[in-house]
Amino acid sequence: MDNCLFCKIIAGEIPSTKVYEDDKVYAFRDIHPQAPVHVLIVPRKHMDNILECDADTATALTDAIRAIAAQEGVAESGFRVISNCGRDGAQSVNHLHVHLLGGTQLAEKMA
Ligand code: AMP
């Protein structure tokens, strides 16, 4: 999609630090990490947010979360996944993405 930051990252037009990829998903480090491990997991197919997520994409995202948690060494210690949606969800990039945060004890409350 034109003018979508994450579509441009997936296409390699904007640099990113790749963590994981497969045929449906691309994952890279957040440019402003909120935890020692902060990975953004993004479907290659553009969809604005989780409300547009189909079953195949949901499965691919879950598989990627599992693989990345193991790869980043947080599968045992634990981690958090968040997908911000829309204005009140404070979504700033309108391409569905999941934040995977870990590598430290996260706050019990999110806000
Ligand atoms: P959200 O606020 O949930 O839409 O998350 C968007 C995330 O994208 C934020 O955590 C930003 O730090 C991150 N971000 C923005 N631009 C880039 C970029 N060029 N590379 C990596 N992460 C980015």
Side-chain angles (χ1 to χ4, degrees):
M1 178 168 271
D2 290 349
N3 271 332
C4 170
L5 174 64
F6 287 174
C7 283
K8 288 180 179 170
I9 285 178
I10 292 163
E13 294 166 13
I14 291 175
S16 65
T17 304
K18 182 175 79 174
V19 171
Y20 171 93
E21 68 178 330
D22 61 32
D23 60 330
K24 295 207 168 70
V25 167
Y26 184 73
F28 53 100
R29 298 205 186 279
D30 196 293
I31 203 166
H32 294 125
Q34 304 297 311
V37 174
H38 188 169
V39 178
L40 298 174
I41 308 168
V42 177
R44 290 186 184 279
K45 184 167 81 174
H46 182 95
M47 48 194 86
D48 283 353
N49 57 46
I50 201 158
L51 296 175
E52 298 182 1
C53 187
D54 56 79
D56 274 358
T57 302
T59 299
L61 289 171
T62 306
D63 289 347
I65 288 167
R66 196 176 294 112
I68 293 163
Q71 188 181 308
E72 294 291 309
V74 298
E76 296 292 323
S77 53
F79 56 94
R80 178 173 290 159
V81 291
I82 299 171
S83 189
N84 297 323
C85 181
R87 184 196 60 206
D88 285 0
Q91 181 179 4
S92 63
V93 179
N94 290 324
H95 181 133
L96 171 60
H97 54 283
V98 173
H99 297 254
L100 188 157
L101 298 137
T104 190
Q105 176 66 65
L106 296 168
E108 280 184 37
K109 305 277 186 194
M110 287 173 37

